[in-house]
């Protein structure tokens, strides 16, 4: 797959017009909303540090079975649509409590745009995924853009309907692993991208695209 | 105080518990996860809460408190046989009634090795094998020699053994060993597998019963020391992965020819089951699972300390004052401390009942579970048929991928085995389940497999 330069301009303009992504913050389980620790419009930070060891900004406190849990921001941005009406109330799991308006970083823009340029391995089912142990070890050792895969290689293990199913690469040719779009054991909806691949000969072309985005999106 | 039950389960069993509550005039609350929003158990419940997971004890108990529940019904699967959950339900600062046996009974009967040891002490026959976990190869080889000799003396031709992970279940971590040479590598393999998957490298070695029927005894005990049984079921027809697909009650056919007296064997396995239940003051519904060999020998396999999927076929053939029993209602009543109000002599057994488990699976390709969307599910209205399903008939239904793709239970009743079988086959011809898989192909179900296997009901099958 290739993106024409004209088309790349259009995509970049689209991102420039609205360089944000909205992330919902939902309750991870049931409980009472005991306290809000932010207000509408506050700036919040996601986890930081080399190993993301510094936790994100505290957002609100959820109490369940006498245990208080502070829910923190998982991404940078500004608080919006804060549900202050829920203070003191019992909420169900997956209830949206607030949104974070997140400014897209250069790396995120690159990642989004490359979705149109890479060969994508998409989730065949709504399920949990993990890289196959062999592939994960190779990527850790050699790094992205260096690990090659070919037809028949085991890419992923899918946990689906209580069974583990290996997912093999089915395309002809040799590809490089360019990007990983999921976190291990995270539930991925069907058809969402899992891995982005590119044929080895297209690597210089992708690097040109990346340089171009970096020029247009310096931060 | 009026009782109110938290139904800590999903799908068709949640619907059956809801129905039992309504019949008893007991209030209830339903829980569901995001993936289950379209399930009928959610649609029909007046009071419902979305939770993060059916296995999350904290979420379940938080909902129970918030909604003012006084009891928890765990259904089957999920937390139903988790003694820690049962203990927490009854021992917390706001205790609730656990609709099931005591947590001690769940703990002890759920531990297969402990149960086996106790059964042996009570003189109840169990499958020959180790009653303690084996951790070293030399001990394993000694046990193997002993067991092969024991199986030989029981008349088993070409005896073989099963090496199992203690913490395994559902067919996982089991391998067959036919000779002494095979034991060491198999033992090492299972031990490593057990450590990797379950964190416990304990292994048990059991004799393999090559040809058998799988029978179950349905018991009910109350808090007043009363015990009754609702006969037996035969669950021999299973998938290659030991998952039940067709069940029939009673457990033996009175028209089949056996090399032993089936009535006597049935009586003995029922009596042994009650003996073990009494040793635990068992006070709920429970199922005692047995293997019966073609020469009439029988061995206790395990005890399921909960309501079973297939409970309704026992209920269909059990009559008290000419009325069919509802075992979920009985389970709820005894949990609330009621007396049974009848004894064994008041239970009359009439007819035969078959349960078919209708599942989206590819029986030709390793019984792989299938996901997709059900576009049509329909069946004829028949007086001898009870359908249990959480799948809506009025709109497409996406099968959640987090659970087994069970679609419906078809429970058929007839006066005789032949009549019930004929009705079952008629139903399987008329039932319509259509859908598309997530990659756009026609969704397969196991209906053909069920039709084919109906002919094997009451037969001895090879393991």
């Amino acid at each position: 797959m290739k993106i024409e330069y004209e088309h790349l301009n259009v995509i970049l303009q689209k991102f420039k017009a609205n360089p944000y992504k909205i992330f919902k913050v939902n309750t991870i389980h049931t409980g009472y909303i005991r306290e809000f620790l932010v207000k509408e419009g506050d700036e919040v930070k996601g986890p930081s540090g080399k190993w993301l060891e510094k936790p994100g900004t505290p957002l609100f406190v959820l109490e369940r079975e006498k245990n208080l849990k502070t829910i923190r921001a998982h991404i940078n941005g500004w608080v919006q649509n804060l549900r202050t009406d829920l203070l003191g109330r019992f909420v169900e799991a997956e209830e949206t409590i607030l949104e974070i308006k997140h400014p897209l970083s250069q790396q995120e823009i690159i990642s989004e745009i490359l979705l149109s340029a890479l060969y994508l391995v998409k989730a065949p089912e709504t399920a949990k995924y993990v890289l196959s142990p062999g592939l994960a070890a190779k990527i850790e050792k050699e790094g992205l853009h260096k690990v090659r895969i070919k037809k028949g290689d085991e890419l992923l293990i899918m946990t689906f309907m209580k069974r583990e199913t290996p997912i093999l690469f089915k395309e002809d040719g040799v590809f490089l692993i360019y990007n990983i779009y999921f976190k291990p054991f995270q539930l991925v909806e069907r058809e969402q991208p899992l891995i982005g691949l590119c044929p080895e000969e297209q690597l210089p072309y992708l690097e040109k695209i990346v340089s171009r985005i970096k020029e247009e999106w310096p931060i | 105080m009026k009782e109110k039950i938290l139904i800590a389960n999903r799908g068709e069993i949640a619907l059956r518990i809801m129905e039992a509550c309504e019949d008893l005039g007991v209030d209830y609350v339903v829980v569901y996860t995001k993936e289950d929003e379209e399930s009928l158990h959610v649609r029909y419940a007046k009071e419902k809460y979305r939770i993060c997971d059916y296995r999350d004890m904290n979420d379940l108990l938080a909902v129970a408190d918030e909604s003012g529940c006084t009891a928890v019904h765990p259904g089957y699967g999920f937390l139903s046989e988790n003694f820690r959950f049962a203990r927490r339900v009854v021992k917390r600062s706001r205790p609730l009634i656990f609709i099931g046996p005591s947590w001690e009974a769940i703990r002890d009967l759920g531990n297969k090795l402990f149960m086996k040891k106790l059964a042996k002490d009570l003189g109840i026959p169990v499958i020959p094998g180790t009653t303690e976990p084996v951790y070293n190869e030399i001990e394993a080889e000694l046990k193997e020699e002993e067991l092969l000799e024991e199986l030989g003396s029981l008349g088993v031709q070409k005896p073989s053994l099963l090496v199992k992970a203690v913490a395994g279940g559902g067919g996982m971590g089991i391998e067959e060993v036919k000779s002494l040479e095979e034991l060491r590598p198999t033992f090492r393999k299972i031990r490593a597998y057990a450590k990797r998957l379950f964190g416990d490298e304990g292994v048990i070695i059991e004799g393999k019963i090559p040809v058998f029927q799988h029978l179950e005894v349905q018991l009910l005990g109350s808090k007043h020391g009363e015990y009754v049984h609702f006969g037996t079921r035969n669950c021999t027809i299973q998938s290659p992965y030991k998952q039940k697909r067709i069940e029939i009650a009673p457990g033996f056919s009175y028209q089949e020819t056996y090399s032993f007296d089936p009535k006597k064997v049935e009586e003995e396995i029922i009596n042994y089951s009650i003996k073990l239940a009494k040793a635990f003051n068992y006070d709920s519904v429970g199922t005692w699972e047995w293997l019966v060999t073609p020469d009439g020998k029988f061995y206790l396999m395990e005890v399921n300390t909960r309501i079973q999927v297939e409970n309704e076929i026992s209920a269909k053939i059990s009559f008290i004052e000419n009325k069919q029993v509802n075992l979920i209602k009985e389970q709820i009543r005894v949990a609330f401390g009621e007396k049974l109000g009848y004894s064994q002599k008041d239970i009359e057994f009439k007819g035969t009942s078959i349960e078919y488990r209708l599942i989206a699976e590819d029986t030709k390709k390793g019984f792989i579970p299938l996901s997709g969307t059900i576009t049509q599910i329909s069946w004829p209205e028949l007086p001898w048929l009870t359908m249990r399903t959480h799948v809506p008939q009025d709109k497409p239904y996406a099968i959640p991928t987090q659970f087994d793709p069970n679609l419906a239970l078809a429970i058929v009743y007839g006066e005789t085995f032949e009549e019930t079988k004929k009705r079952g086959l008629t139903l399987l011809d008329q039932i319509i389940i259509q859908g598309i898989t997530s990659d756009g192909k026609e969704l397969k179900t196991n209906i053909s497999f069920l039709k084919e296997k109906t002919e094997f009901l009451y037969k001895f099958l090879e393991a």
Side-chain angles (χ1 to χ4, degrees), chain A residues 30 32 92-93 125-126 190, chain B residues 50 59 66 92 371 401 438:
Chain A
T30 63
Y32 290 93
E92 296 178 299
E125 301 284 355
T126 301
R190 202 175 92 78
Chain B
R50 190 172 55 233
D59 250 14
E66 176 63 18
R92 59 207 294 268
S371 74
T401 56
S438 41

Side-chain angles (χ1 to χ4, degrees), chain A residues 28-32 64-67 90 92-95 124-127 159-163 187 189-190, chain B residues 49-52 56 58-59 62 65-66 88 92-93 366-367 369-371 400-405 438:
Chain A
I28 49 173
H29 53 61
T30 63
Y32 290 93
R64 183 185 65 167
E65 287 284 282
K66 295 178 187 156
N67 292 315
F90 186 82
E92 296 178 299
E94 306 269 354
E95 182 86 45
E125 301 284 355
T126 301
T159 307
F160 166 71
M161 289 182 169
K162 304 194 320 204
R163 282 197 194 190
L187 189 75
E189 296 285 332
R190 202 175 92 78
Chain B
Y49 289 84
R50 190 172 55 233
I51 58 168
C52 58
D56 192 307
N58 288 318
D59 250 14
D65 289 344
E66 176 63 18
R88 189 164 158 196
R92 59 207 294 268
S93 57
F367 284 72
L370 300 173
S371 74
T401 56
Q402 287 82 354
F403 315 109
D404 287 328
S438 41

Side-chain angles (χ1 to χ4, degrees), chain B residues 117-279:
Chain B
K117 201 162 180 281
L118 192 90
K120 248 182 154 175
D121 291 347
L122 290 168
I124 299 170
V126 293
I127 294 175
T130 52
T131 50
E132 300 285 344
V134 181
Y135 293 96
N136 90 51
E137 293 165 18
I138 299 166
E139 192 190 347
E141 280 184 346
L142 287 172
K143 293 283 177 197
E144 186 195 22
E145 278 184 73
E146 276 174 35
L147 283 169
L148 288 174
E149 206 177 299
E150 192 179 343
L151 289 170
S153 69
L154 288 168
V156 177
Q157 301 291 315
K158 294 184 189 167
S160 65
L161 301 175
L162 296 175
V163 180
K164 300 180 178 181
V166 173
M172 287 163 67
I174 303 180
E175 283 215 17
E176 189 176 349
V177 166
K178 289 179 179 159
S179 67
L180 203 59
E181 295 75 51
E182 286 176 19
L183 184 77
R184 269 195 197 215
T186 309
F187 179 84
R188 280 185 204 148
K189 187 176 160 189
I190 296 291
R191 191 176 58 185
Y193 173 86
K195 192 175 179 186
R196 203 168 59 243
L197 256 79
F198 313 115
D200 173 4
E201 57 182 359
V203 165
I204 49 174
I205 305 170
E206 270 185 0
K208 185 183 172 191
I209 308 296
V211 183
F212 64 87
Q213 288 196 13
H214 178 143
L215 263 78
E216 297 182 342
V217 175
Q218 177 66 61
L219 292 191
L220 171 66
S222 80
K223 295 188 190 306
H224 305 279
E226 303 159 294
Y227 292 92
V228 291
H229 69 83
F230 293 93
T232 54
R233 297 184 285 260
N234 191 315
C235 309
T236 312
I237 310 246
Q238 302 183 358
S239 76
Y241 301 97
K242 305 280 171 219
Q243 289 168 325
K244 294 169 190 169
R245 290 294 180 265
I246 311 178
E247 299 97 339
I248 184 164
F252 287 119
S253 160
Y254 302 120
Q255 280 99 52
E256 287 282 317
T257 311
Y258 296 91
S259 71
F260 55 88
D261 179 356
K263 284 200 172 160
K264 190 167 171 284
V265 170
E266 187 171 52
E267 198 181 308
E268 283 188 278
I269 62 174
I270 287 171
N271 288 340
Y272 278 130
S273 301
I274 292 174
K275 189 177 182 182
L276 189 58
K278 282 184 174 170

Side-chain angles (χ1 to χ4, degrees), chain B residues 304-461:
Chain B
N304 296 139
T305 57
R306 55 171 161 83
I307 195 78
Q308 297 272 96
V309 177
E310 61 272 26
N311 80 83
E312 205 162 345
I313 55 168
S314 297
K316 290 278 179 210
I317 64 159
S318 305
F319 292 78
I320 298 172
E321 292 177 349
N322 277 320
K323 277 175 72 181
Q324 272 171 338
V325 170
N326 179 318
L327 285 168
I328 299 174
K329 275 161 71 176
E330 294 307 287
Q331 185 190 21
I332 295 170
R333 283 201 318 112
V334 299
F336 290 158
E338 286 187 30
K339 285 193 166 182
L340 294 183
Y342 53 85
S343 65
Q344 191 64 54
K345 65 176 171 39
D346 300 315
I347 304 171
E348 192 189 351
F349 295 105
K350 279 192 287 193
T352 301
S353 185
I354 297 175
E355 176 181 87
Y356 292 105
R357 300 191 188 200
L358 298 153
I359 300 171
E361 62 184 356
D362 191 341
T363 57
K364 305 273 186 235
K365 285 188 186 163
F367 284 72
I368 53 163
L370 300 173
S371 74
T373 302
I374 301 294
T375 51
Q376 189 187 358
I377 178 164
S378 61
W379 56 87
E381 291 293 324
L382 296 161
W384 40 263
L385 171 68
T386 307
M387 287 294 289
R388 299 291 185 185
T389 182
H390 59 284
V391 179
Q393 285 183 276
D394 56 356
K395 60 192 279 199
Y397 173 76
I399 303 168
T401 56
Q402 287 82 354
F403 315 109
D404 287 328
N406 299 333
L407 301 177
L409 301 173
I411 299 147
V412 178
Y413 179 79
E415 295 290 320
T416 62
F417 169 47
E418 285 307 322
E419 183 183 60
T420 315
K421 192 169 112 178
K422 201 173 156 195
R423 286 176 171 178
L425 290 169
T426 305
L427 172 73
L428 292 174
D429 276 336
Q430 294 181 13
I431 209 157
I432 297 170
I433 301 178
Q434 284 179 345
I436 44 167
T437 61
S438 41
D439 50 358
K441 293 179 187 143
E442 189 187 335
L443 188 77
K444 291 181 178 152
T445 70
N446 63 344
I447 291 179
S448 306
F449 173 82
L450 298 177
K451 275 188 211 168
E452 182 194 323
K453 293 293 174 184
T454 298
E455 296 303 330
F456 292 89
L457 281 164
Y458 288 134
K459 304 285 180 220
F460 281 93
L461 298 179

